[in-house]
Amino acid sequence: KAAERGTFSHLLAVLHHQKDGSAAVPWQHICTVQSRFGICDSLRSAEAVLAFEYGYATTMPKVLVIWEAQFGDFVNGAQAIIDQFIASAEFKWDRWSGLVMLLPHGYEGAGPEHSSCRIERFLELCGNNNMQVVNPSTAAQVFHMYRRQMKRSFRKPLIVPTPKSMLRTPTSSLEDIYEGSAFIGMRDDPRFVPGQGDRSGVKRVLLCSGKIYHELDARRELIERSDTAVIRIEQIYPFHNELLQQIVDQYPKGVSIEYVQEETYNAGAWRFVSGKVQSELGWERPKYIGRARSAAPATGSKNQHKIEQERILTEAIGAKPDEAKQDKEVAAARA
């Protein structure tokens, strides 16, 4: 009953009456004319269920088929289906599929088996425009991602790392959803869009993907740093070289380009992105900011996780203000 009862806060799909046991699905009654919404509980075999969902998506191209792992790491058990079908079927057999894979991914102190969907493995399988790897940073982007998936005249598998912590973080307004028109593959820093901020003082441009953006932005606001811009790579593959170049060209020449990620050095999108900007844009290799190389995706210690995450934010943006010093300054100001 994982899907029905809402293992994740965004999956409160089926309501059960406590006395008579009857069920109601609110999503089936949004308006008088709508598409059918179905939610299915399944056995806990990633390989078997993913294979079924792939086949269903292949034979029903007008249906938005979404498969979600309880944690992104659990997709490891279905690697054969990903390699043999999802990533390569179009190239081998000209068989299209619009299957969406939601893979909870994000460094939130949950441990090595509950942090990483192994983005690097999917990126290693990318070629011939065979699928999409998207790491959206706002709710509006998620909406436009789904809409684009169905409105296109072709079908491609869609791989989506989905941080759980962002389910409880407001990232968009309703206006962002119904006034927006498209999914944006590369997002410029909203602090420096025309009319919002002065780009002339920017000395560093950080590239990142996913939820780490919100942590970087919060730290930047906390210490009032204005010389650092943060660009979000929302779609990692296919990689939008020209769009990234256009965004960076708006900043002063000679800015330091750096890449920030939560994942370890030998994981995440770092190697893929750095290779792209070097080979296709002719850039120097961006400076890496992230966790050290590791055999495991993440530490098993909550305290160690906090230390590592703080180190990343400190190197990328700056250290938190000393709380004791702050208290003294506040007391002095009040006196």
Side-chain angles (χ1 to χ4, degrees):
K1 295 294 182 180
E4 286 191 4
R5 72 168 178 249
T7 301
F8 310 145
S9 59
H10 66 312
L11 286 182
L12 301 176
V14 180
L15 304 179
H16 294 271
H17 197 288
Q18 291 184 354
K19 294 184 177 180
D20 61 22
S22 59
V25 185
W27 285 96
Q28 292 178 347
H29 307 285
I30 297 175
C31 58
T32 54
V33 180
Q34 68 174 68
S35 298
R36 186 175 67 87
F37 174 83
I39 185 93
C40 301
D41 293 326
S42 59
L43 70 158
R44 297 192 65 172
S45 168
E47 183 175 29
V49 178
L50 186 59
F52 174 84
E53 300 291 9
Y54 168 77
Y56 195 96
T58 302
T59 57
M60 302 290 285
K62 294 184 178 181
V63 176
L64 179 63
V65 181
I66 302 174
W67 179 84
E68 182 166 32
Q70 185 176 2
F71 286 94
D73 311 63
F74 295 2
V75 79
N76 291 338
Q79 198 64 46
I81 304 303
I82 297 166
D83 291 352
Q84 298 295 332
F85 298 95
I86 295 173
S88 58
E90 181 180 351
F91 187 74
K92 290 191 294 187
W93 308 310
D94 198 26
R95 293 292 294 165
W96 292 8
S97 170
L99 176 66
V100 178
M101 295 178 62
L102 299 184
L103 307 176
H105 172 97
Y107 282 63
E108 297 158 353
E113 272 63 66
H114 299 82
S115 297
S116 173
C117 75
R118 298 288 192 175
I119 294 177
E120 64 278 3
R121 292 182 182 173
F122 288 97
L123 292 174
E124 286 290 333
L125 293 170
C126 288
N128 311 111
N129 289 320
N130 59 333
M131 57 185 178
Q132 309 155 91
V133 180
V134 172
N135 196 357
S137 62
T138 69
Q141 281 281 83
V142 172
F143 171 80
H144 293 299
M145 173 192 75
Y146 285 136
R147 185 175 184 273
R148 181 182 72 168
Q149 185 72 357
M150 292 307 297
K151 288 292 185 179
R152 281 176 162 172
S153 59
F154 58 89
R155 293 289 175 262
K156 298 281 185 180
L158 175 61
I159 314 302
V160 190
T162 54
K164 289 187 176 183
S165 62
M166 285 174 57
L167 297 173
R168 301 176 293 277
T169 304
T171 56
S172 301
S173 64
L174 288 176
E175 288 78 7
D176 294 329
I177 294 176
Y178 63 72
E179 289 183 359
S181 59
F183 178 84
I184 303 171
M186 299 277 180
R187 294 184 67 108
D188 195 0
D189 194 323
R191 289 173 176 258
F192 297 103
V193 296
Q196 295 292 325
D198 182 12
R199 296 175 185 262
S200 63
V202 173
K203 298 178 181 178
R204 302 167 67 233
V205 172
L206 306 181
L207 307 179
C208 69
S209 185
K211 82 173 183 68
I212 189 68
Y213 164 77
H214 297 284
E215 297 175 67
L216 294 170
D217 187 51
R219 176 61 58 87
R220 183 174 55 174
E221 182 175 359
L222 177 66
I223 66 174
E224 299 180 345
R225 185 163 189 175
S226 59
D227 67 343
T228 302
V230 186
I231 296 174
R232 283 168 280 178
I233 301 174
E234 303 278 287
Q235 178 168 296
I236 308 172
Y237 187 85
F239 195 77
H240 291 170
N241 298 320
E242 294 182 0
L243 182 54
L244 178 59
Q245 185 70 67
Q246 290 172 10
I247 294 173
V248 172
D249 283 346
Q250 298 178 61
Y251 291 93
K253 291 184 178 180
V255 293
S256 174
I257 306 294
E258 304 169 26
Y259 188 87
V260 184
Q261 70 173 25
E262 299 178 296
E263 298 87 350
T264 61
Y265 183 89
N266 53 315
W270 147 247
R271 289 180 296 175
F272 180 86
V273 173
S274 63
K276 282 286 185 181
V277 299
Q278 284 182 285
S279 63
E280 299 182 16
L281 293 178
W283 294 5
E284 293 184 2
R285 194 182 198 190
K287 176 186 175 183
Y288 170 79
I289 300 176
R291 283 173 168 79
R293 181 182 295 273
S294 173
T299 180
S301 164
K302 186 80 171 182
N303 289 334
Q304 181 61 28
H305 161 79
K306 291 180 179 179
I307 293 171
E308 293 175 354
Q309 200 76 357
E310 176 59 30
R311 184 191 62 78
I312 293 171
L313 296 176
T314 297
E315 184 177 354
I317 301 295
K320 286 182 179 179
D322 184 78
E323 293 183 4
K325 182 180 179 181
Q326 275 190 320
D327 292 340
K328 291 181 181 179
E329 290 177 348
V330 171
R334 288 176 177 173

